Amino acid sequence: MTSAIILAAGQSRRMGLPKQLLPVDGVPLLTKVAAAFPPELVKHLLIVIRPDSKGLRHLVALPHVQWVENPAAEGDMLSSVRCGLRALPKGTETVIVTPADLPGLTASLTCAMLEAWRNCGKSILVPVFQRRRGHPLVFSADYLTEILSQYDSVGLRGLLQAHPHEVFEWEAPSASVLDDWDTPEDWQRWQQRW
């Protein structure tokens, strides 16, 4: 069983307003990213949010969504990853983790990544474009205990560093695995490009 975790508990400090609400293709960013994980691809979709972000819940109406609040959202991204991992349903074998600010993420890209994951013979898959690693990250649920107890200072990058021979670098077809929005300038550049 495959479960996906979207990390949407960030404070958007550099953006100056909640990134999850910015429009992409006529819908809020969080709605667009969630659509990249339809029920036919992932059994469960967990979206990690801040306790004061309950207003985001109306943005995603997919039947397989579970909302997870991160009470320590002031911390780093790993705290949200761990909240999502702790909430995973029993029977999860494959986990996909992505930040919520990847506007180019699509269901076809997710499908291609999962197909590559099934055939690569490795336990971790990371998309790569022009030799740069991006998101989402796919990994075996066998690593859950390890992630919950290690990598405090480096996050999921630590998982890749600890298991280099288990990492499959999947060549992504576009820069969408790298494109994220951290500042208003990022958003404007993306809008101009697309």
Side-chain angles (χ1 to χ4, degrees), residues 23-25 32 103-104 179-181 185-194:
V24 186
D25 301 333
K32 172 81 163 45
D179 284 337
D180 59 3
W181 293 347
E185 292 74 26
D186 293 337
W187 181 56
Q188 289 163 3
R189 275 194 297 271
W190 196 91
Q191 297 282 69
Q192 290 165 359
R193 210 165 75 230
W194 296 99

Side-chain angles (χ1 to χ4, degrees), residues 146-183:
E146 187 174 325
I147 298 168
L148 289 171
S149 61
Q150 299 180 45
Y151 313 130
D152 286 347
S153 59
V154 292
L156 287 178
R157 191 178 308 113
L159 180 69
L160 304 179
Q161 293 168 347
H163 303 280
H165 300 297
E166 282 299 319
V167 176
F168 176 70
E169 292 190 332
W170 178 70
E171 293 289 339
S174 73
S176 57
V177 299
L178 305 176
D179 284 337
D180 59 3
W181 293 347
D182 290 322
T183 66

Side-chain angles (χ1 to χ4, degrees), residues 7 22 27-28 88 92 100-101 103 107 110 137 159 168 172 178 180 188:
L7 308 173
L22 290 171
V27 298
L88 285 172
T92 296
D101 62 346
T110 304
L137 183 66
L159 180 69
F168 176 70
L178 305 176
D180 59 3
Q188 289 163 3

Side-chain angles (χ1 to χ4, degrees), residues 74-97:
E74 304 295 329
D76 59 14
M77 190 179 289
L78 184 60
S79 70
S80 288
V81 171
R82 288 173 170 167
C83 282
L85 295 181
R86 289 188 193 103
L88 285 172
K90 289 182 179 176
T92 296
E93 299 168 341
T94 304
V95 183
I96 309 174
V97 176

Side-chain angles (χ1 to χ4, degrees), residues 11-192:
Q11 299 182 68
S12 304
R13 283 193 191 102
R14 286 181 286 170
M15 184 64 74
L17 72 164
K19 290 188 276 190
Q20 303 94 328
L21 302 175
L22 290 171
V24 186
D25 301 333
V27 298
L29 176 59
L30 184 58
T31 307
K32 172 81 163 45
V33 173
F37 302 98
E40 57 268 26
L41 292 181
V42 300
K43 185 79 171 172
H44 299 277
L45 175 59
L46 294 82
I47 304 178
V48 183
I49 59 174
R50 302 167 59 79
D52 59 359
S53 297
K54 291 182 174 71
L56 295 178
R57 294 177 188 242
H58 74 280
L59 298 179
V60 182
L62 296 169
H64 63 316
V65 166
Q66 176 184 341
W67 297 91
V68 179
E69 291 185 11
N70 178 3
E74 304 295 329
D76 59 14
M77 190 179 289
L78 184 60
S79 70
S80 288
V81 171
R82 288 173 170 167
C83 282
L85 295 181
R86 289 188 193 103
L88 285 172
K90 289 182 179 176
T92 296
E93 299 168 341
T94 304
V95 183
I96 309 174
V97 176
T98 188
D101 62 346
L102 289 181
L105 202 57
T106 63
S108 62
L109 185 68
T110 304
C111 183
M113 286 186 67
L114 287 173
E115 184 67 24
W117 159 257
R118 284 189 283 270
N119 296 311
C120 72
K122 305 281 187 178
S123 56
I124 304 168
L125 180 147
V126 60
V128 175
F129 185 74
Q130 294 180 349
R131 293 183 291 187
R132 289 177 58 204
R133 289 178 169 180
H135 299 283
L137 183 66
V138 185
F139 55 88
S140 166
D142 292 340
Y143 292 115
L144 294 192
T145 302
E146 187 174 325
I147 298 168
L148 289 171
S149 61
Q150 299 180 45
Y151 313 130
D152 286 347
S153 59
V154 292
L156 287 178
R157 191 178 308 113
L159 180 69
L160 304 179
Q161 293 168 347
H163 303 280
H165 300 297
E166 282 299 319
V167 176
F168 176 70
E169 292 190 332
W170 178 70
E171 293 289 339
S174 73
S176 57
V177 299
L178 305 176
D179 284 337
D180 59 3
W181 293 347
D182 290 322
T183 66
E185 292 74 26
D186 293 337
W187 181 56
Q188 289 163 3
R189 275 194 297 271
W190 196 91
Q191 297 282 69
Q192 290 165 359

